Amino acid sequence: MKKLIYADNAATTALSPAVLEKMMPYLTTQYANPSSLYSFSEDSKVAVETAREQVAIALGARVNEIYFTSGGSESDNWAIKGYAQAMKKKGKTHIISSAFEHHAVLHALKALEKQGFTVTLLPVYEDGLVRVQDLADAITPETGLVTIMMANNEIGTIQPIKELAAVCKEKGVVLHTDAVQAVGHIPVNVEELGVDMLSLSAHKFRGPKGVGALYIRRGVLPAVLIDGGAQERNRRAGTENVAGIVGLGQAVTLAVATMEETATKLQQLRDYFMENALHINRSRVNGHRVNRLPGNVNMCFEGIEGESLLLMLDMKGICASSGSACTSGSLDPSHVLLAIGLPHEIAHGSLRLSFGEDTTKEDVDAILEALPPIVERLRAMSPLWERIVKENA
């Protein structure tokens, strides 16, 4: 049986054995509801609050600024929809974001547009970066919220959040950042960045799926999104996922402790891959070559379809993803790649590799060995590639 090479860590990561070990008691013997009054529930209460402290330490936040959620999508929706309702009471109905946000953000904004809010999507240019001046120019007296992701989930570009936050503070506008791809991989300190709200999700840094958190700066009051019980200080109802929350706290602590060493390794593997893969004719790297997540590679190979590339890599035991949305049932290429100016025919031929702490140089070499003949085979069957060759003859 061929070795599985997993290079899709931006989609999800393997649960750390050390994290699972911490979670196990709360999946088995320590099953009490933290909201119960009897002494048996005390351990669950303590576990939740210990995890809250761990997340706060990792982000440089106060403990009472951390709220647990079901994951990144809920955190994004709570921050955006919740604050939109709060700011509407102050006569603010304009929201600013970027053209290549995660769909959890973009779809939340579309829902708000149906409720009468106006949305401005800033351009991200070829390098995949939001310009600070563009934000400053877009803010109006009606602007109440800016939401810009910290690092893009497809092309990995890291945004100038600190500079964007400074503009928002000067203009009296709240800034939310979707940091789902960033936390655990690059330094994130909410005080140094100056953000008002920040979303994260445990399964992106070797924690469990189905649990995340939202940082809400003290004094920022998004409306409640989920009504019910008094959990999370009356801000987010629902019985706490104690095992998941414990896993989140342990995972973020471990990720931060090993971040520098892991990032150095992943940057080397990332750059090594890009340097060698660019030897393939008519290939390109998408996004900024340096200012990107340590383990992120996103490339396009002209004349092929990303879906076919993924299927043929899978036959070699290589797990990757594509900027093309074909695998989700859409014939349109990635909105991220279109946002940075790629034409449809090039954007369709994209490949995203996201390396993790378990990725080895041997894994990267195996992908580099498999990739060129697959591209060559797909191009041999492609009318688009035939046209490209004729046009450039």
Side-chain angles (χ1 to χ4, degrees), residues 119-346:
V119 175
T120 297
L121 298 180
L122 301 176
V124 289
Y125 304 94
E126 185 178 2
D127 60 7
L129 296 176
V130 171
R131 302 294 189 264
V132 176
Q133 190 59 50
D134 285 351
L135 173 60
D137 293 343
I139 293 175
T140 73
E142 287 73 43
T143 306
L145 175 67
V146 172
T147 176
I148 304 288
M149 67 194 333
M150 188 167 294
N152 185 265
N153 53 299
E154 289 191 25
I155 62 174
T157 48
I158 301 169
Q159 301 304 314
I161 294 297
K162 185 175 182 178
E163 291 77 10
L164 296 172
V167 171
C168 290
K169 185 176 182 180
E170 180 185 348
K171 303 281 188 176
V173 176
V174 164
L175 174 65
H176 163 254
T177 186
D178 175 347
V180 167
Q181 293 289 339
V183 171
H185 302 287
I186 60 174
V188 176
N189 183 294
V190 293
E191 287 299 321
E192 292 179 3
L193 292 170
V195 299
D196 298 296
M197 294 184 285
L198 178 146
S199 304
L200 62 91
S201 187
H203 76 105
K204 302 297 186 178
F205 44 83
R206 304 204 67 179
K209 297 176 182 65
V211 62
L214 179 63
Y215 158 78
I216 306 176
R217 183 182 294 279
R218 188 168 57 182
V220 177
L221 298 172
V224 171
L225 196 65
I226 299 178
D227 294 304
Q231 294 89 353
E232 295 302 292
R233 302 186 296 286
N234 294 299
R235 303 288 295 277
R236 193 269 187 188
T239 301
E240 295 90 343
N241 173 8
V242 179
I245 289 169
V246 168
L248 168 56
Q250 181 70 7
V252 77
T253 299
L254 293 174
V256 170
T258 58
M259 183 186 300
E260 186 174 351
E261 178 184 354
T262 301
T264 299
K265 168 195 166 182
L266 294 184
Q267 285 171 1
Q268 292 172 349
L269 292 177
R270 176 197 72 190
D271 295 344
Y272 172 75
F273 182 91
M274 291 192 298
E275 179 183 345
N276 285 276
L278 283 170
H279 293 154
I280 298 174
N281 186 29
R282 299 191 77 86
S283 61
R284 57 165 286 151
V285 172
N286 300 316
H288 200 283
R289 286 291 297 272
V290 177
N291 191 26
R292 65 194 302 139
L293 292 171
N296 175 279
V297 173
N298 190 297
M299 298 185 67
C300 280
F301 304 94
E302 290 187 46
I304 67 171
E305 286 285 342
E307 183 180 28
S308 300
L309 176 59
L310 293 186
L311 293 174
M312 295 187 75
L313 286 171
D314 183 48
M315 293 172 64
K316 299 283 188 181
I318 299 167
C319 301
S321 61
S322 174
S324 170
C326 294
T327 51
S328 64
S330 170
L331 296 177
D332 294 328
S334 159
H335 72 286
V336 171
L337 299 183
L338 296 180
I340 64 173
L342 293 188
H344 281 64
E345 61 271 19
I346 294 179

Side-chain angles (χ1 to χ4, degrees), residues 33 39 48 57 74 138 226 229 267 280 361 367 371 393:
N33 188 321
S39 57
V48 168
I57 291 171
E74 184 194 331
I226 299 178
Q267 285 171 1
I280 298 174
K361 185 174 180 295
I367 302 172
L371 187 60

